[in-house]
Amino acid sequence: MPTIGIKKDLLFTALGQTYTEEEFNDLCFEFGLELDEVTTEKQMISKEQGEEKSLEASEEEIYRIEIPANRYDLLCLEGLARALLIFQGKATIPHYRRVKPSGVLQQLIIKSETTRVRPFAVAAVLRNITFTKERYNSFIDLQDKLHQNLCRKRSLVAIGTHDLDTIEGPFIYDAKPPSEIKFVPLNQNKAFSATEIMELYSTDSHLRHYLHIIRDKPVYPVIYDQNNVVLSMPPIINGNTSKITLNTRNVFIECTAVDLQKAKIVLDVLVCMFSQYCDEPFTIEEALVVNSDGTETCYPELHYRQDSVTMDAVNRFVGINLNEDEIAKMLTKMSLKSHVKRKKKQRPQILVEIPPTRHDILHSCDIMEDIAIAYGYNNIKMTIPKTATIAQQFPLNKLSDQLREEMAHAGFTETLTFSLLSKEDITDKLRKPNELSEAVHISNPKATEFQVARTTLLPGLLKTIHANKRIPLPVKLFEISDIVVKDNSKDVGARNERHLCAVYYNKNPGFEVIHGIMDRIMQVLDVSLCTEDKNKGYYISAHNDSLYFPGRCAQVIFNGQSIGSLGVLHPEIVTSFDLIHPCSALEINLEVFL
């Protein structure tokens, strides 16, 4: 869950009251949050960057508070303080309004070329806002928190904020080849082309993490005004001309995205949190977005919707005993304005107004969760469930545990290896160049060692042997774990499959050892060796597989179908894992025995 750091003095000023650490911790707990730690800026920098970097840092106390990942409205001081004040009954729930401009309606026109890279955009204006240094820092910090959280490090949504008085609409959102884009980036004093900008920030500790999003695209997204002044090149950096300062009074906000719904959420959260600093609090000036297909939409949506719950359902699911009016009061404490609707001959309904800041409310269960928080989890009486059940071990796990014990009795040592491998591990190293098409790929791997989900347990065991070369021979290892295989019949396009893999590594291949452990497995599973009927029991059949040495490979056939293979590994595979002795291996599918 994300953690936000807020200066204690600013927080207590916003709350209108000072607290001891224990009192504030209790308040957070009651509201469903957690005070993670109390620290200082100096301690934080010292911990992250070293003692030398922290010499000029402040000693002012900072409260680090853990926020639920779906509560985007609590990611800044403004939202947190507002929610806590409403929870304590010290403030009323604000109503956010979208208003028409008194002057020119700002427009953002989306060109068709953007569909090649980042097709969606939304926009709004914060009119007559007053910034202080603290408000400005909070404004920037919220954008960063949203970028890291909901925006998935700018890959889904990128936020751009601009001083509207330094630019002139209508604004154009286009996509152009890098050679055609040139502007002065934020906090720079000369113009760079898009290609030069990518090179400039390739070593930047902050921005280099976002360059990959558009680096290989044929066109880069760019926003400029009617005078060709570049506002931003999303999702990398804004232009210096429209830079926001403490003197900025009118802010133009644009969010470009590959996910329109998330862009709407980001815009709603940002404008709702900081509209309180406008001359007319909680009002946001609309902007018109002209889509590439010619349709027009005004943003922000600031959509209020209504849901309902009943007293009986709430009391049954939460485990409390409240009447309708008490439940409505609890919801109002959680910033969900509620009232009871009564009709003759019908059960009363509790109508709940869900504001544009609460995109985490998707179902009546979410409303009930807020009721439980407001009531207090510690105040809910523990009761014995009315339905008694008897637990039973999952059959596949029970079989796996029994086989692990038998493998250990046979002198094999169990390993537990990573479920993710590099592309090379399942292709070149295993002499299977086409295996990559059968693997499930990780879309944004953090390291080259973890690019695909494993399709076999063998590479993990061979890596384990490589990492333990110093132990005496022979090395006998096994693993019983899941592999991942593609399956179009599943809603996620893949499924897990439980396998058993064993390897024998010694100065001689030891095929007889692997063959013997396979026979022992079949013995404990009470599977007999086929004699006449090939569709009953098991047997091994000669087989050609690039994994194994020619003529030293066999398929394991069970009830007429192949469930795996065993044999002496090909020398090229052994050497590809930096091993020097021959190795025999067995791998079979265990799910067929259930």
Side-chain angles (χ1 to χ4, degrees), residues 234-245:
I236 309 302
I237 195 164
N238 290 346
N240 195 60
T241 303
S242 59
K243 179 173 67 174
I244 290 179
T245 67

Side-chain angles (χ1 to χ4, degrees), residues 36-251:
D36 191 44
E37 66 172 333
V38 178
T39 183
T40 65
E41 184 182 8
K42 186 172 184 177
Q43 290 174 340
M44 289 169 61
I45 294 176
S46 176
K47 186 186 298 183
E48 295 174 3
Q49 302 180 24
E51 192 68 34
E52 294 182 1
K53 298 283 186 179
S54 66
L55 296 178
E56 298 180 3
S58 170
E59 290 281 3
E60 189 176 356
E61 280 191 312
I62 294 175
Y63 279 13
R64 290 178 58 80
I65 304 165
E66 200 170 85
I67 305 294
N70 60 351
R71 287 300 302 271
Y72 317 118
D73 57 312
L74 303 179
L75 288 173
C76 62
L77 168 64
E78 289 72 17
L80 179 64
R82 192 181 307 161
L84 290 175
L85 288 171
I86 294 170
F87 180 74
Q88 295 173 296
K90 296 179 179 180
T92 57
I93 301 172
H95 186 81
Y96 305 99
R97 293 188 304 117
R98 188 179 78 188
V99 297
K100 294 185 179 299
S102 57
V104 178
L105 173 65
Q106 299 300 330
Q107 297 184 35
L108 180 61
I109 302 169
I110 304 177
K111 297 294 186 179
S112 59
E113 280 296 303
T114 58
T115 56
R116 300 174 63 186
V117 58
R118 210 171 181 84
F120 305 111
V122 296
V125 175
L126 288 176
R127 182 71 68 177
N128 295 322
I129 191 171
T130 302
F131 280 119
T132 62
K133 183 180 179 181
E134 290 75 19
R135 294 174 183 178
Y136 176 85
N137 290 338
S138 182
F139 187 59
I140 300 301
D141 190 53
L142 177 58
Q143 293 176 55
D144 188 55
K145 287 288 192 298
L146 290 171
H147 276 149
Q148 297 301 315
N149 185 3
L150 179 60
C151 302
R152 296 294 185 271
K153 297 185 177 179
R154 304 191 190 183
S155 62
L156 298 182
V157 185
I159 308 166
T161 53
H162 313 278
D163 188 335
L164 187 57
D165 297 325
T166 64
I167 48 182
E168 188 175 355
F171 305 104
I172 310 298
Y173 175 39
D174 203 351
K176 296 183 176 182
S179 59
E180 296 181 18
I181 301 173
K182 190 170 186 177
F183 66 101
V184 180
L186 190 65
N187 297 325
Q188 297 291 331
N189 51 23
K190 71 172 186 175
F192 294 86
S193 69
T195 305
E196 291 171 334
I197 287 173
M198 301 296 275
E199 183 65 28
L200 175 66
Y201 294 112
S202 62
T203 56
D204 186 273
S205 60
H206 177 59
L207 295 179
R208 63 185 175 88
H209 301 292
Y210 312 121
L211 302 182
H212 71 277
I213 300 173
I214 62 170
R215 177 186 281 128
D216 298 326
K217 302 291 184 182
V219 291
Y220 289 0
V222 60
I223 299 177
Y224 52 93
D225 73 356
Q226 69 168 353
N227 299 317
N228 288 324
V229 174
V230 173
L231 279 64
S232 67
M233 188 178 75
I236 309 302
I237 195 164
N238 290 346
N240 195 60
T241 303
S242 59
K243 179 173 67 174
I244 290 179
T245 67
L246 297 183
N247 299 320
T248 297
R249 289 286 288 160
N250 302 300
V251 180

Side-chain angles (χ1 to χ4, degrees), residues 305 307 358-364 366:
R305 59 187 178 89
D307 206 336
R358 293 299 305 274
H359 290 277
D360 59 299
I361 304 292
L362 303 176
H363 188 272
S364 57
D366 300 312

Side-chain angles (χ1 to χ4, degrees), residues 26 40 94 110 113 124 179 192 234 262 335 355 411-412 422 512-513 526:
D26 291 341
T40 65
I110 304 177
E113 280 296 303
S179 59
F192 294 86
K262 284 185 169 54
S335 302
F412 282 75
S422 70
E512 68 282 359
V513 177
D526 197 23

